[in-house]
Amino acid sequence: MNMASSKVLFIIKSKSKLQFQFLILHSCLLLSLSYTTNNGFHSIDLESLSHSSSCNHHPSTGKPSKPPTPSTIQVYTPCPPLPLTADDARVRSIQAKVRRATTSDAFNDVKATLPAHLGIGNYAVTVSLGTPPKSLSLNFDTGSDLTWTQCQPCSGSCYPQDDPIFDPSSSTTYSKIQCAAPQCSTLRLSPGVFATCAVTDCNYRLQYGDRSTSAGEFSKDTLTLTPDDTVPDFLFGCGQENRGLFVKSAGLLGLGRDAISIVSQTEKKYGKYFSYCLPSTPSSTGHLTFGKTGSPSSGVAFAPFANSRGTSFYFLDITGISVAGQELSIDRTIFTTAGNLIDSGTVITRLPATAYGALSQAFQEGMTSYPRAPPTTLLDTCYDLSNFTTVTLPRIAFTFAGNLKVNLDFYQMLSIHSIQQVCLAFAANQNDQDVGIFGNIQQRGLEVVYDVAGGNIGLGPGGC
């Protein structure tokens, strides 16, 4: 995965400067961007910009990013995304969860907080539930375990969603989990999930980092991943009281390590092995694949999972960061003290404050030809590129445990708010003791392979 050059060259061609005013995180504009790599440089052509017609939960066009198999689902970007303040809420929730799992502190104010947030920068898949199967768009999340969807009747409230709300009375294979059933006991042990009993039925309640909630009946039904691939008696939450910023998705598909996640529920079928590629733009598609469908892409290299620290998160140790081909002088204990996890639902990568400071400073030293721009709420290393047609960026690379090195490209380095405000897509934790998170901007376009049973994670270019 290593590249010979330490610089990235972006050549921008447009008929006017206005044509380059686009958003990746805060808009649903289609960025028609093609580029080639030559002698270690990326040549970027931004000639065509238009409003996206694929910013929805059921794209009717687009080919899967890899050959379809019985267990491969198309991944797409739901729109519109929400402000990054919600991403911050998710990060605080994850960090509180990790602290609570590794300390004796009570953390009474976060006991009801599931470390997840839907809607911002999340990625979605379309699956079906019930018999006959009803199509549902679900955000998938490696930081969550319980899969849930909105259900009729909405006894409290249901938020607007694109799909018809699932009606369990219309499914011949639906049933509620009883309080005395062992599945209810399993639910009670799941981190962040509160299980209660209403007479004989097992109920659940989740509260997310931004105070969004889902509550309802713990149930089972047939889950259809593709027409050729079904999961009978799949355990899920049938949510009848749901509030929050869910961007019209029907719910969530939980990919965490806990016993109630889809990864664990399908262990006998898929061997706790899944992979995905997150599309770089709303116009492109990725994939979510369960099970081994052959050898990983030739460019995929593996690193061992780090200790999960009593949580269902996937921890992956960072051992170094380089900018412009130079390893940053960061004491490795900065990374190992708090640890680092990889998360499909966090947008902006969070680093220990010391590590982020070194990264930002080195990036600025490679960007002295370009004027600075005002910071955003979350991002502080920003530039005004309105007077340039060619932009040269210092290459950023991350090294993980096992000497797994990942070079980042244009999509994975920058958050582009407008031509006047292009920002480095990383942020600092409040201190070096907070867990780091490798977010989904940096994962875009990568093949990300989770060999949970084998204790390894794989990363490689060209996933979609």
Side-chain angles (χ1 to χ4, degrees):
M1 297 177 65
N2 297 330
M3 304 292 289
S5 173
S6 62
K7 294 281 188 178
V8 181
L9 175 66
F10 298 107
I11 298 184
I12 302 166
K13 298 178 181 178
S14 63
K15 295 178 181 178
S16 68
K17 292 178 182 177
L18 291 176
Q19 217 176 0
F20 187 64
Q21 293 181 348
F22 61 94
L23 309 181
I24 285 182
L25 288 178
H26 304 292
S27 172
C28 282
L29 292 181
L30 164 63
L31 173 59
S32 298
L33 184 151
S34 62
Y35 60 92
T36 58
T37 301
N38 185 22
N39 296 325
F41 291 83
H42 287 313
S43 296
I44 307 298
D45 183 357
L46 301 178
E47 187 133 293
S48 175
L49 289 175
S50 62
H51 287 281
S52 173
S53 61
S54 62
C55 232
N56 57 65
H57 290 273
H58 295 288
S60 57
T61 61
K63 297 179 179 179
S65 61
K66 62 187 302 182
T69 69
S71 57
T72 296
I73 314 169
Q74 182 173 316
V75 170
Y76 51 96
T77 308
C79 287
L82 300 176
L84 285 178
T85 51
D87 194 49
D88 228 14
R90 176 188 176 93
V91 168
R92 290 194 300 270
S93 178
I94 289 175
Q95 292 171 340
K97 182 68 177 179
V98 172
R99 287 196 302 269
R100 182 167 167 249
T102 55
T103 69
S104 59
D105 294 340
F107 288 104
N108 292 325
D109 61 331
V110 297
K111 283 187 176 179
T113 299
L114 178 71
H117 177 85
L118 302 179
I120 53 155
N122 274 275
Y123 293 84
V125 293
T126 297
V127 298
S128 297
L129 189 65
T131 307
K134 303 296 183 182
S135 179
L136 298 171
S137 171
L138 303 178
N139 289 338
F140 70 88
D141 188 1
T142 60
S144 298
D145 297 299
L146 179 65
T147 296
W148 64 267
T149 188
Q150 295 198 111
C151 285
Q152 298 285 7
C154 293
S155 56
S157 65
C158 285
Y159 59 85
Q161 66 178 52
D162 284 344
D163 306 292
I165 294 176
F166 181 68
D167 185 355
S169 66
S170 68
S171 174
T172 60
T173 48
Y174 173 86
S175 63
K176 302 176 185 178
I177 302 299
Q178 303 297 299
C179 282
Q183 295 95 327
C184 192
S185 298
T186 300
L187 180 68
R188 291 190 185 98
L189 297 175
S190 181
V193 182
F194 283 75
T196 59
C197 284
V199 188
T200 60
D201 297 333
C202 184
N203 290 348
Y204 79 95
R205 181 175 181 82
L206 302 172
Q207 181 167 312
Y208 294 86
D210 67 340
R211 304 304 178 187
S212 298
T213 61
S214 176
E217 298 168 338
F218 191 42
S219 309
K220 65 179 179 180
D221 207 335
T222 297
L223 176 69
T224 301
L225 298 177
T226 72
D228 300 318
D229 200 5
T230 61
V231 182
D233 297 327
F234 180 74
L235 299 171
F236 72 101
C238 202
Q240 297 166 335
E241 297 183 35
N242 313 287
R243 298 180 179 87
L245 306 174
F246 298 116
V247 192
K248 297 187 178 182
S249 71
L252 180 144
L253 186 69
L255 293 171
R257 296 190 189 209
D258 188 69
I260 62 170
S261 76
I262 187 173
V263 178
S264 296
Q265 288 194 56
T266 60
E267 178 179 5
K268 291 183 179 179
K269 189 171 188 176
Y270 302 125
K272 286 192 172 182
Y273 193 103
F274 68 96
S275 62
Y276 59 72
C277 180
L278 306 179
S280 298
T281 70
S283 63
S284 58
T285 59
H287 70 85
L288 171 62
T289 301
F290 293 95
K292 288 185 179 181
T293 58
S295 300
S297 303
S298 58
V300 173
F302 285 83
F305 283 123
N307 189 306
S308 66
R309 305 186 179 208
T311 72
S312 63
F313 297 120
Y314 297 99
F315 275 76
L316 178 64
D317 282 342
I318 298 172
T319 59
I321 303 173
S322 64
V323 177
Q326 298 297 313
E327 185 83 9
L328 300 181
S329 180
I330 304 172
D331 191 319
R332 290 198 175 184
T333 61
I334 295 297
F335 296 118
T336 58
T337 298
N340 180 81
L341 58 91
I342 183 170
D343 182 38
S344 69
T346 297
V347 180
I348 300 293
T349 287
R350 301 311 202 279
L351 296 171
T354 298
Y356 173 75
L359 171 63
S360 175
Q361 180 61 36
F363 188 80
Q364 291 177 52
E365 291 172 359
M367 294 287 288
T368 54
S369 299
Y370 308 103
R372 295 294 297 270
T376 70
T377 303
L378 183 61
L379 308 175
D380 61 13
T381 305
C382 303
Y383 294 88
D384 180 355
L385 305 180
S386 58
N387 292 322
F388 298 86
T389 56
T390 300
V391 181
T392 303
L393 303 178
R395 185 181 298 279
I396 297 174
F398 275 67
T399 304
F400 298 96
N403 201 33
L404 168 59
K405 190 170 185 178
V406 177
N407 287 308
L408 304 183
D409 67 13
F410 172 84
Y411 286 119
Q412 300 159 329
M413 290 169 56
L414 301 176
S415 171
I416 303 173
H417 301 258
S418 73
I419 185 64
Q420 291 88 12
Q421 195 178 37
V422 178
C423 302
L424 184 65
F426 297 86
N429 284 331
Q430 291 186 354
N431 55 65
D432 289 343
Q433 284 68 51
D434 289 330
V435 66
I437 304 174
F438 194 68
N440 65 37
I441 282 186
Q442 283 66 40
Q443 296 176 55
R444 287 173 176 169
L446 295 176
E447 183 76 6
V448 186
V449 181
Y450 292 76
D451 180 7
V452 183
N456 297 297
I457 186 168
L459 298 170
C464 55

